[in-house]
């Protein structure tokens, strides 16, 4: 998919040089990880198409594509829990975007600070491994 144009029917104003680098899912989307810029805390994962990425890069506010509602949403427009963009980076495979933000309020739709603290499947595996080998 390298160098392909946006397969989405949604028009985009994304810089063509950036668009040419992206490796999108078959539905034209990239996962976008939102991370608190100063602490490194991972806040949430959303989806962006080319236009959402363009809006994020040019407005200073995170814009995502809602797969369920099939529309753009700007984080915080409804909740007030705004994400002010500090930096945007493409990963080494050009298939994921990391957006470092200054998060105002909760990032999760449940009202939690992060989407990743309610259901921890494994924590401190290295420490447990050492304890298990001591027994």
């Amino acid at each position: 998919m390298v160098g392909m144009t946006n397969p989405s029917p949604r028009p985009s104003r994304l810089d063509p040089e950036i668009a040419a680098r992206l490796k999108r899912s078959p539905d034209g989307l990239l996962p976008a990880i939102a991370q608190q810029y100063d602490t490194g805390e991972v806040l949430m994962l959303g989806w962006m198409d080319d236009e959402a990425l363009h809006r994020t890069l040019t407005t200073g506010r995170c814009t995502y594509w809602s797969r369920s509602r099939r529309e753009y949403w700007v984080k915080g427009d409804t909740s007030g829990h705004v994400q002010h963009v500090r930096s945007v980076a493409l990963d080494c495979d050009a298939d994921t975007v990391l957006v470092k933000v200054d998060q105002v309020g909760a990032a999760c739709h449940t009202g939690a600070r992060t989407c990743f603290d309610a259901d921890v499947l494994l924590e401190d595996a290295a420490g447990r491994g050492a304890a298990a080998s001591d027994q």
Side-chain angles (χ1 to χ4, degrees):
M1 281 197 234
V2 174
M4 69 181 257
T5 59
N6 181 9
S8 168
R10 298 175 299 271
S12 173
R13 297 167 286 164
L14 183 64
D15 179 329
E17 289 185 22
I18 296 172
R21 297 175 56 201
L22 303 178
K23 293 181 190 172
R24 304 165 195 83
S25 67
D27 55 359
L29 300 174
L30 292 167
I33 300 165
Q35 180 182 37
Q36 179 63 35
Y37 82 98
D38 55 353
T39 65
E41 179 182 31
V42 177
L43 301 169
M44 60 172 279
L45 178 126
W47 295 92
M48 292 184 180
D49 67 358
D50 288 20
E51 180 60 17
L53 180 56
H54 166 76
R55 293 179 188 187
T56 299
L57 292 170
T58 58
T59 67
R61 297 267 312 276
C62 280
T63 300
Y64 299 99
W65 175 255
S66 171
R67 297 177 299 165
S68 59
R69 294 188 313 267
R70 310 224 22 98
E71 65 185 15
Y72 295 105
W73 58 280
V74 179
K75 184 68 175 168
D77 271 1
T78 303
S79 67
H81 300 166
V82 177
Q83 292 176 339
H84 297 285
V85 176
R86 292 298 189 101
S87 69
V88 180
L90 193 57
D91 80 331
C92 59
D93 294 321
D95 64 0
T96 303
V97 176
L98 175 64
V99 185
K100 291 189 179 182
V101 301
D102 189 6
Q103 177 70 49
V104 176
C108 187
H109 71 280
T110 66
R113 169 79 180 156
T114 171
C115 294
F116 296 102
D117 64 356
D119 196 5
V120 178
L121 302 178
L122 179 65
E123 191 168 17
D124 196 17
R128 257 190 289 204
S133 65
D134 291 342
Q135 296 177 1

